[in-house]
Amino acid sequence: MRALLQLLRTGRGWRVGGPAAARLPQAASAGSGPRRAMALYRTEERGQLHSQDYRIFFKNVAGHYISPFHDIPLKVDSKKEENGIPTKKARNDESENLFNMVVEIPRWTNAKMEIATQEPLNPIKQDVKDGKPRFTANIFPYKGYIWNYGALPQTWEDPHQKDKSTNCCGDNDPIDVCEIGSKVLSPGEVIHVKILGILALIDEGETDWKLIAINANDPEASKFHEIDLNWDSSASAPLVAGLTDIDDVRKFKPGYLEATINWLTYYKVPEGKPENKFAFNGEFKNKAFALEIIKSTHECWKAMLMKKCDRGAINCTNVQVCGSPFHCTPEKARSLVESVLTSSSNKESNIDDQVWHFLGK
């Protein structure tokens, strides 16, 4: 309980800002601390927050609308690309061992924001349940989500492909990320993360991987030991040296992994759903295992973008994956955004986001 209270105290001074409009920090000079990301992306809001027509669209440095699902590279600093898909082999240094993460939900908030996988250019929107914007319940002793929550771009958990380690098919979404740094982020921020481990949630019979990661620019990131990867999307298993990263979470953030299991087990119970289950008896897998899962979901995404598998209702419209049959021009992308209708509907209030639900044995 002492560790849990300490975890909750890290939320003091928290902020919940609007979407990120080029809010990534500026580059740091050599030797001046953590490597910082340049402002490669900015966002544009349409509609009213917490209404059904609210959307966060993404733009690149040229001011062109893009898809955060398909156009933002999976790996950071991937200079060599094939059909818009990063293929450059990583060097043995920290700057090459980073992934892009699209933030959907800030820590301590309840609005269930998500990449709209079935809409053109995949803006972030609020999930809808029973005709109303969805808010996740507070499970005692937590307030909203207990991490910054989001996804890795250019990944896809194929609902038609059975995962060999869980024996369940994917959940039809990009792979989820629980970012455990000290900063409260904003919807639409694109940050660089270090992968620490992974958890296999089984949600209504589907595999729903949860990556554990930390913002590479977070003050606490230096505590987590870097691993020598030599990883790319076509390579074999990464070469691992040093400590197992998931164990560093237990060392430097005691109670956080246990709280993660507890939160994910019960968060849907107030909606009348059963407790969630986990593969591997709820065991967190290490970074090497996580990287294999990322590689697999990236390959599934590539097959989808190249029209080599059944994508179902997923919208694959993109601006930067030039070899994809779903590629469109920046002018077409702009027309798609401008065709999105917004109404003057009032935002939904959520009384339940102030209520604690007491669950468990």
Side-chain angles (χ1 to χ4, degrees):
M1 180 57 72
R2 182 179 301 170
L4 180 57
L5 290 174
Q6 181 62 36
L7 173 63
L8 290 171
R9 289 190 190 107
T10 62
R12 70 175 176 271
W14 62 274
R15 61 176 178 83
V16 181
R23 263 227 298 270
L24 293 177
Q26 304 219 338
S29 58
S32 62
R35 182 178 182 276
R36 296 178 182 269
M38 294 297 288
L40 298 179
Y41 310 99
R42 61 189 181 93
T43 57
E44 178 181 295
E45 295 178 82
R46 295 205 167 209
Q48 189 169 14
L49 182 63
H50 302 325
S51 67
Q52 293 189 45
D53 60 2
Y54 178 75
R55 297 292 185 275
I56 302 174
F57 286 95
F58 287 71
K59 289 183 175 181
N60 61 16
V61 289
H64 298 148
Y65 289 103
I66 63 169
S67 162
F69 188 0
H70 307 305
D71 289 320
I72 296 175
L74 170 61
K75 291 295 296 286
V76 173
D77 291 338
S78 297
K79 296 181 176 64
K80 180 180 177 182
E81 296 184 347
E82 178 182 337
N83 295 326
I85 300 170
T87 59
K88 184 174 183 292
K89 189 173 182 179
R91 298 191 306 269
N92 297 340
D93 61 75
E94 182 175 352
S95 67
E96 291 291 344
N97 296 339
L98 301 175
F99 293 84
N100 283 310
M101 171 189 174
V102 178
V103 178
E104 297 166 314
I105 306 171
R107 190 172 70 236
W108 310 131
T109 64
N110 301 73
K112 182 65 172 69
M113 310 299 289
E114 61 185 16
I115 292 173
T117 59
Q118 298 183 15
E119 296 184 11
L121 296 180
N122 316 112
I124 290 178
K125 69 171 186 177
Q126 189 165 354
D127 189 24
V128 174
K129 181 182 178 183
D130 298 328
K132 295 183 178 181
R134 180 182 166 195
F135 294 87
T136 299
N138 295 313
I139 307 299
F140 180 83
Y142 315 113
K143 170 66 175 77
Y145 282 69
I146 64 173
W147 344 260
N148 294 298
Y149 194 75
L152 293 189
Q154 297 190 342
T155 63
W156 180 51
E157 297 188 58
D158 188 344
H160 306 292
Q161 181 171 305
K162 187 171 289 188
D163 189 285
K164 61 183 180 181
S165 58
T166 66
N167 205 35
C168 295
C169 293
D171 71 346
N172 204 30
D173 284 322
I175 194 167
D176 296 323
V177 185
C178 302
E179 192 280 319
I180 64 170
S182 59
K183 300 178 180 179
V184 175
L185 304 173
S186 298
E189 283 196 66
V190 180
I191 64 169
H192 299 169
V193 295
K194 297 167 61 175
I195 305 300
L196 304 172
I198 195 167
L199 178 69
L201 175 69
I202 306 300
D203 187 353
E204 299 181 16
E206 297 176 334
T207 303
D208 188 4
W209 292 105
K210 306 296 181 185
L211 289 164
I212 307 300
I214 189 165
N215 185 348
N217 192 47
D218 193 276
E220 298 179 338
S222 61
K223 295 179 181 179
F224 296 90
H225 299 270
E226 191 59 38
I227 287 184
D228 185 358
L229 301 184
N230 279 337
W231 182 89
D232 66 23
S233 60
S234 61
S236 57
L239 303 176
V240 181
L243 297 177
T244 302
D245 287 308
I246 199 66
D247 287 337
D248 291 337
V249 181
R250 296 186 176 93
K251 177 180 179 180
F252 296 110
K253 291 180 177 283
Y256 212 160
L257 295 183
E258 292 78 6
T260 294
I261 289 284
N262 190 63
W263 193 95
L264 290 170
T265 298
Y266 295 111
Y267 81 103
K268 289 186 177 180
V269 172
E271 301 175 3
K273 294 186 177 181
E275 298 174 12
N276 280 323
K277 305 297 181 184
F278 303 90
F280 315 115
N281 295 316
E283 175 190 354
F284 286 85
K285 295 296 185 178
N286 66 16
K287 183 174 184 177
F289 188 98
L291 290 172
E292 284 296 295
I293 299 301
I294 294 172
K295 185 173 71 171
S296 174
T297 57
H298 182 55
E299 292 299 319
C300 289
W301 171 83
K302 286 196 290 186
M304 176 175 65
L305 260 285
M306 296 304 163
K307 213 171 183 177
K308 295 180 179 179
C309 64
D310 180 8
R311 73 182 192 281
I314 297 290
N315 193 299
C316 294
T317 303
N318 66 85
V319 179
Q320 297 181 179
V321 187
C322 298
S324 169
F326 305 103
H327 177 264
C328 75
T329 64
E331 292 74 23
K332 175 62 175 177
R334 176 173 290 277
S335 70
L336 289 171
V337 174
E338 291 175 348
S339 68
V340 174
L341 299 177
T342 57
S343 68
S344 58
S345 60
N346 294 327
K347 68 178 181 179
E348 294 283 343
S349 61
N350 181 44
I351 298 174
D352 194 52
D353 70 0
Q354 304 300 322
V355 176
W356 259 336
H357 294 264
F358 293 82
L359 305 173
K361 302 294 188 292

